[in-house]
Amino acid sequence: MVKNVADDSALKSEQTAMNAITIDCVIFGFDKGSLEVLLVQHGEGISKGKWGLPGGWIYKKESTDNAAHRLLNELTGLDNIYLEQLKAFGDPDRFPLRRVITIGYYALVKREDYNIKAGFTASDAQWYKINSIPDLIYDHNEILAYSLKHLRNRVRQAPIGFNLLPEKFTLLQLMHLYEEVLGIEMDKSNFRRKILHMKLLVELDEKQQDVSHRAAKLYKFDPAIYKKLTEKGFNFEF
Amino acid sequence: MVKNVADDSALKSEQTAMNAITIDCVIFGFDKGSLEVLLVQHGEGISKGKWGLPGGWIYKKESTDNAAHRLLNELTGLDNIYLEQLKAFGDPDRFPLRRVITIGYYALVKREDYNIKAGFTASDAQWYKINSIPDLIYDHNEILAYSLKHLRNRVRQAPIGFNLLPEKFTLLQLMHLYEEVLGIEMDKSNFRRKILHMKLLVELDEKQQDVSHRAAKLYKFDPAIYKKLTEKGFNFEF
């Protein structure tokens, strides 16, 4: 009896892994003002040598949330990440060998907080700048595009930056974060007016140090307002 | 060889349907000021006689979106509904016989626009008021609770009512729609001030007719503003 099973070593036995549903993780990283995505190079199987989103098969006795955390950790070394489910991607032709539906997860992290180390079936794991994404396996470019759109919607409806910026930051640093994530250019005085109007920031009695240009004021987030806006939402139009 | 397959007649053959992933649809209906949910009674299988969300197996050659529309139509007669995917529900113990992950879809419709007719494996299909939901099969009460929370978030971030209210409506009718969907009581003058401030409504030179109380002004939605707010979003705090 010939079994139509992908030659992925993670799928060792139908007793341990589900054979028609996978997980894929879109991990956005923010580093030195740049938005990046974590990709892995497949070390074996039909996609050997190609790059894709970290992901793989779900064990039969494991929740999809746990599978996402396990796979991300096995393939890239990342741990303790707050992963949020995006949706299931269910085009019948998305996987070349047979029908496989994948469930997407995503996160946005500060790159320097995490060390990356390829493992399991991945021969390499690297951060790629959002503007330099290679051709990815299967429908992974589409999943990434969907995730980026989702992230951009979220950023307009809830605050970001708490875990991405230093504890004390300038308005310009915060604006550059928004510009990079949203992929747009903003007007400094407009941004200043709108962000200060939200009462989200606390102005500190400190300025930047050791800068060659004129030192700018430092701010920090007001944790109570940040929490309230995260829960209640807002609409941030620039 | 004993195969561990659920006794659901929709799963006639592994050649035609996927055997570890299903679809479930949460259809919210609005009727005479009440929020309701469309449920089906199972006519066969392990859940015979019990009520649940309309859903079932995905054919191997059909997209998940198409499967959702097909199943909803087969079980309840509903057609031409804008279904949006919620997420996948992946608890390992959610289905009693074996590991099955389900993908949730949802919609909000005006009840009187649609005729319901049970079919396929459903012996009955009925609208249930949101406050009188029976015990449902598997994790369907949880899926419904998640969907309601999601709907309430959406209602705070984008306009609703265009397809749920008559073309011309009073502010009180619109407020009752919000109250019913959000499950809260609102203050009339607050609501009036906030909704008019959004410029979403056009005040008509007409009043209610044939009412015993004092006739109220009629309004309609401004289609351009409605479209803009649907795309751009807002934050509606009452």
Side-chain angles (χ1 to χ4, degrees), chain B residues 40-125:
Chain B
V40 293
Q41 188 175 38
H42 284 227
E44 48 188 75
I46 57 164
S47 302
K48 187 172 175 175
K50 293 183 187 159
W51 290 84
L53 300 169
W57 306 99
I58 303 164
Y59 292 146
K60 285 195 175 168
K61 303 214 164 150
E62 142 190 88
S63 72
T64 46
D65 289 357
N66 287 347
H69 285 99
R70 174 183 57 78
L71 286 160
L72 187 62
N73 182 250
E74 287 175 347
L75 292 163
T76 72
L78 277 195
D79 209 353
N80 288 317
I81 298 244
Y82 177 71
L83 284 169
E84 198 173 319
Q85 195 196 119
L86 280 165
K87 66 168 226 168
F89 295 85
D91 187 281
D93 303 315
R94 58 169 297 282
F95 188 74
L97 295 183
R98 59 200 159 90
R99 180 70 190 277
V100 175
I101 291 170
T102 197
I103 304 174
Y105 280 80
Y106 91 112
L108 174 59
V109 302
K110 189 181 187 175
R111 211 188 101 165
E112 67 178 39
D113 288 349
Y114 297 93
N115 290 316
I116 300 305
K117 188 176 179 301
F120 194 36
T121 57
S123 57
D124 199 0

Side-chain angles (χ1 to χ4, degrees), chain B residues 14 84 153:
Chain B
E14 287 189 51
E84 198 173 319
N153 281 335

Side-chain angles (χ1 to χ4, degrees), chain B residues 156-169:
Chain B
R156 291 178 187 278
Q157 291 165 359
I160 57 159
F162 205 88
N163 299 310
L164 302 175
L165 293 176
E167 197 197 338
K168 302 169 183 181
F169 50 85

